[in-house]
Amino acid sequence: MNKLTQGVAIAAATFALAASAQADDYPSRPVEVIVPYAAGGGTDLSVRIMAETLQKYLPNSTVVVRNVPGGGGSIGTGQALSAPADGYTLGTGAQGPIALLPHYGSTTYTLDDVDFIAMMGRNLKVVMACKGAPFSTFEELIDHAKANPGATLVGNSGAGGADHLAIEAFGKISGTSYEPVPFGGASEALTACAGGHIDAVTSTPAEAKPHVESGAMKPLFIMEAKRIDTFPDVPTAVEKGVDFTWSSWKGIIAPKGLPDDVRATLAGALEKTFQDPDFVKKMDEMGEFVDYRDGAGYSELAHADSAMAEGVIRDLGMYGMNK
């Protein structure tokens, strides 16, 4: 072996030993989780609860949360995915930035850049009839939409977002069409619904519950495979013969290339975190629906939603519009 070859071999062995030691010692410094939204929102609050709990299961760890808002979540998500793949910078992988925004051409990353570590939970979706709506059941909604194509006004929390695409996708699968009405957030959409300015609205059960209890709105169907405890008497589209489910989700992601030992440590700690009774209790009190899935299950859901969203976005003529 000549000196050059010997030097390369020694350098490679040294690097391998250093990488192994780093993985064995992980974590040896604080682990940062980037939230791609402003502080105080549902995602931010749930990730802070997660970070506090994760420290119980990640040996000798300090987990800190950093908010990087902007671009509908794409800026913070991009930062997380462009960080060194060492396990010390993680991201909050939300449906919008990961499965929707890349199709608009407004991200520095694609779905293929994401390492899905573990899914934390989902925000379920319910469609409600507004004050004065000409329908009050699932069947009446479908009949009205078919008799009046594109005339049923359905509010959502923002153009191109999850609630908007949900009703578009539902229409595509059910053979109906609607007129989406975007607002500057869920609160505005719900206010318009309660005031009778639109016909229906897509919302989360937690957001909808007080309006349903006051009698201002009536839930028509849940976008789940099975009924939910919040509205046990409200049917799902699936049980009515429309094979459609939709929800917003979030979990923990990382850039691809994590050392195997680091990834395994993270995945194991997150599995315990998301099944921790205290964590589940706190999330339930916030109206958050905990739905732990391992990396494979998380990735499968993200890819399925991305494919569905791409079809809808192309139909709307919005694909790649922000390139």
Side-chain angles (χ1 to χ4, degrees), residues 87-282:
Y88 289 101
T89 302
L90 307 174
T92 305
Q95 182 195 50
I98 290 177
L100 309 185
L101 294 185
H103 298 308
Y104 295 114
S106 55
T107 63
T108 58
Y109 55 86
T110 70
L111 193 66
D112 294 333
D113 297 319
V114 183
D115 187 351
F116 295 90
I117 309 299
M119 193 172 91
M120 176 166 57
R122 296 185 294 121
N123 290 328
L124 310 186
K125 299 296 179 182
V126 57
V127 174
M128 297 185 295
C130 300
K131 178 181 178 181
F135 42 76
S136 60
T137 66
F138 178 88
E139 291 82 2
E140 289 174 358
L141 169 67
I142 296 297
D143 290 344
H144 182 270
K146 287 183 175 180
N148 304 274
T152 305
L153 304 179
V154 183
N156 61 69
S157 58
D163 290 352
H164 176 189
L165 296 188
I167 200 66
E168 295 278 12
F170 171 74
K172 188 175 183 179
I173 292 174
S174 63
T176 55
S177 62
Y178 305 88
E179 179 62 34
V181 182
F183 290 89
S187 178
E188 289 185 16
L190 290 166
T191 298
C193 184
H197 303 295
I198 51 179
D199 300 312
V201 69
T202 305
S203 177
T204 68
E207 292 166 338
K209 190 174 181 180
H211 299 281
V212 173
E213 291 176 343
S214 72
M217 306 175 196
K218 182 177 180 184
L220 300 173
F221 71 96
I222 306 293
M223 293 182 173
E224 287 291 297
K226 298 179 180 179
R227 297 192 183 196
I228 63 175
D229 292 341
T230 307
F231 298 128
D233 297 327
V234 180
T236 69
V238 173
E239 72 181 78
K240 292 296 185 178
V242 180
D243 188 15
F244 177 77
T245 60
W246 185 267
S247 61
S248 298
W249 37 258
K250 52 182 169 278
I252 300 302
I253 60 172
K256 286 191 172 178
L258 290 180
D260 290 344
D261 288 354
V262 170
R263 194 186 189 288
T265 297
L266 272 172
L270 286 167
E271 178 180 5
K272 293 175 182 176
T273 296
F274 295 153
Q275 298 182 54
D276 181 275
D278 187 50
F279 170 79
V280 173
K281 180 175 182 291
K282 289 178 179 178

Side-chain angles (χ1 to χ4, degrees), residues 47 76 239 282 293 314:
V47 171
E239 72 181 78
K282 289 178 179 178
R293 301 188 192 189
R314 286 187 182 276

